[in-house]
Amino acid sequence: MTNSTSLPSAGSGARISVLRGGKPAAQGAPSPAADSDERTRDRVLSAVLEHGPVSAAELGDLLGFTPAAVRRHLDHLSRAGVIEVKRVARAGAGAGRPARRYVLSSQGQSTLGDDYLNIASSALKQLEEMAGAEAVRKFAVERFADMERRYAPEVDQAGTDITARAQALSAALSRDGYVASTASIEAKSPLPAALSSVQLCQGHCPIQQLASQFPVFCDAETETFSRLVGVDVRRLSTLARGGHVCTTHIPTGRPAATEAHAPGAGQDTLNEVSNHLQERPL
């Protein structure tokens, strides 16, 4: 298939831009105070993107701000529509009212570099109409084959330890603007240690709108991650399906398989049925 449709990459447009007062900034040089506030709000927004759902107190600890300063910037970002509040039930009996946690809104996600997604969406719809769903699937596989070729040497340098490979993958994704992170989940007794895992989270998806219309992009990315780390992985949530982040479950109970990756492999075996086990909206 001729690859005549190019999709935006995270690295090309994942730049956070905060609106002043909920409206586009006026032309001309801002005052020093306004410029300082904007930079601070960018830091707050970046922290919400990377750590959300996150509380105001947690943001204050992360950034070294007073509670009053954090809430002032959170209120501004909420009015601008780029973040929103999620109510999260507290752990334990009699824990009281649900806690307030902040996450990026759909509008906030859209500020991070999807200027050409409407054009790409129209092109893919036309491709599907003219050549069928299989043509879209092949396009998605080819897109992530390029990612696989670029990431494979870096992931392979981490050796056969799955956790190390997942961390290397996370670093590569973050460099491309996906705002990725990993968290180790240790199995608690009496469960065997073989059930331990790593959760790979991505706070930004440069093709979120496309993936919501064409879930095969999420499937192709999941298959790519599996080959890179060398074990079967499973998607627990995706931004495209309403999750706060894209979360991939990576079991760490055994070393990576030999020949863990093969760029472009699986083009004829990609599962057409999405394995997303989506988190429920809070």
Side-chain angles (χ1 to χ4, degrees):
M1 178 182 64
T2 301
N3 186 351
S4 60
T5 305
S6 61
L7 300 185
S9 64
S12 66
R15 179 179 180 272
I16 293 176
S17 177
V18 180
L19 304 179
R20 294 195 183 99
K23 299 178 181 179
Q27 296 295 322
S31 68
D35 190 58
S36 176
D37 275 351
E38 185 177 7
R39 288 197 302 269
T40 300
R41 282 194 287 271
D42 280 349
R43 291 184 61 197
V44 173
L45 184 60
S46 294
V48 173
L49 170 64
E50 183 172 359
H51 300 284
V54 61
S55 69
E58 290 166 342
L59 286 170
D61 291 340
L62 286 167
L63 301 173
F65 295 158
T66 66
V70 170
R71 287 189 171 85
R72 179 169 67 87
H73 292 298
L74 289 172
D75 287 345
H76 180 100
L77 293 169
S78 294
R79 290 193 301 270
V82 294
I83 66 171
E84 60 187 15
V85 175
K86 296 292 183 182
R87 297 284 184 174
V88 180
R90 300 177 189 271
R97 298 174 59 187
R100 293 167 60 90
R101 293 288 189 271
Y102 293 89
V103 298
L104 253 67
S105 65
S106 297
Q107 178 182 329
Q109 287 287 342
S110 71
T111 67
L112 302 185
D114 59 0
D115 295 342
Y116 300 100
L117 289 183
N118 287 334
I119 298 173
S121 175
S122 297
L124 286 174
K125 287 178 180 177
Q126 186 172 7
L127 176 64
E128 186 175 42
E129 291 173 0
M130 296 176 62
E134 179 66 12
V136 177
R137 184 190 70 83
K138 288 183 178 180
F139 183 91
V141 169
E142 288 177 9
R143 180 182 190 274
F144 287 103
D146 176 68
M147 170 191 281
E148 192 168 347
R149 282 189 290 270
R150 291 188 294 109
Y151 289 3
E154 186 172 342
V155 174
D156 284 345
Q157 285 183 352
T160 60
D161 180 74
I162 298 298
T163 299
R165 294 179 73 88
Q167 290 170 343
L169 174 58
S170 173
L173 287 165
S174 288
R175 189 174 58 248
D176 275 352
Y178 288 86
V179 195
S181 62
T182 59
S184 294
I185 310 297
E186 301 297 332
K188 303 295 184 181
S189 182
L191 295 175
L195 295 182
S196 296
S197 64
V198 165
Q199 285 192 352
L200 171 66
C201 296
Q202 299 157 256
H204 173 56
C205 173
I207 57 168
Q208 179 180 341
Q209 178 182 326
L210 288 178
S212 66
Q213 299 176 61
F214 302 97
V216 69
F217 281 93
C218 292
D219 297 338
E221 185 181 63
T222 303
E223 291 286 333
T224 297
F225 289 173
S226 181
R227 289 191 297 273
L228 283 169
V229 299
V231 294
D232 291 334
V233 305
R234 181 172 292 274
R235 272 283 160 82
L236 302 182
S237 68
T238 63
L239 288 159
R241 294 297 181 87
H244 302 318
V245 294
C246 296
T247 303
T248 304
H249 171 86
I250 304 174
T252 59
R254 59 185 178 85
T258 305
E259 301 294 333
H261 63 86
Q267 292 191 21
D268 296 324
T269 60
L270 183 63
N271 190 349
E272 294 289 349
V273 180
S274 171
N275 65 351
H276 306 155
L277 301 179
Q278 302 301 335
E279 65 183 8
R280 295 181 179 179
L282 297 175

